[in-house]
Amino acid sequence: VPVALGRGCYWRRCAFCPDHLHPGYAPCSGDGLEAWLHRVAARFPGGAMLHLTDSALSPALLDRVAAVVRRDRLPLRWHGFVRMEARFADPAFMAHLAEGGCAMLQWGLESASERLLRLMDKGVGRAQARAVLRAASGAGIRSHAYLLFGLPTETDVEREESLAFVQEEA
């Protein structure tokens, strides 16, 4: 079941992304989210997989999704696109998401080059990305990392850094 839980992106700073053009970030309300999750669960009593299609789901929004699914024992699993925020490096938070139906998170890593990450204004470095991926794995959440190769000014060494990072974290 594909669904967008909001409009725009809460980060709105990645230099290459068109989401910064959207006038603002507007996630669904807490009451609206809870009612919608219950309607989906009633529509699919045998269970459903939700694909949260937002460009970047905030940790706070996913906390609410997981809390409702877990508290009300809804037969829902979900996955979606996220930034590698520090909150995702917390094993307890990742366990909460897993217990609340999170099956996979799709990470906008883009590169493992510190220089390129700074240029793109990703707000994350390689050490934080590694901690996030390991916390997800420890909680049993699958990870799908999106990488961009051939970025302007990317060197062969930086490309190899990204490839080595993926191999190390596989």
Side-chain angles (χ1 to χ4, degrees), residues 67-110:
V68 172
V69 170
R70 184 178 179 188
R71 180 193 70 215
D72 299 341
R73 301 181 191 269
L74 301 179
L76 302 173
R77 309 243 327 130
W78 50 271
H79 63 97
F81 304 103
V82 290
R83 291 181 25 77
M84 296 185 130
E85 300 283 355
R87 180 104 189 260
F88 292 117
D90 176 3
F93 181 65
M94 295 305 276
H96 165 68
L97 295 183
E99 292 164 5
C102 182
M104 177 177 71
L105 292 171
Q106 297 157 267
W107 309 101
L109 175 58
E110 322 315 356

Side-chain angles (χ1 to χ4, degrees), residues 51 56 77 89 103-105 111 117 137 147:
H51 180 193
R77 309 243 327 130
M104 177 177 71
L105 292 171
S111 175
L117 291 169
S137 178
L147 297 162

Side-chain angles (χ1 to χ4, degrees), residues 24-98:
Y25 176 60
C28 61
S29 71
D31 291 342
L33 174 64
E34 187 167 340
W36 182 81
L37 288 168
H38 279 272
R39 284 195 306 273
V40 171
R43 170 75 171 84
F44 300 99
M49 174 65 80
L50 308 177
H51 180 193
L52 309 179
T53 62
D54 302 54
S55 295
L57 296 151
S58 72
L61 182 59
L62 295 183
D63 183 23
R64 291 197 326 252
V65 170
V68 172
V69 170
R70 184 178 179 188
R71 180 193 70 215
D72 299 341
R73 301 181 191 269
L74 301 179
L76 302 173
R77 309 243 327 130
W78 50 271
H79 63 97
F81 304 103
V82 290
R83 291 181 25 77
M84 296 185 130
E85 300 283 355
R87 180 104 189 260
F88 292 117
D90 176 3
F93 181 65
M94 295 305 276
H96 165 68
L97 295 183

Side-chain angles (χ1 to χ4, degrees), residues 10 13 54:
Y10 68 95
R13 289 174 39 191
D54 302 54

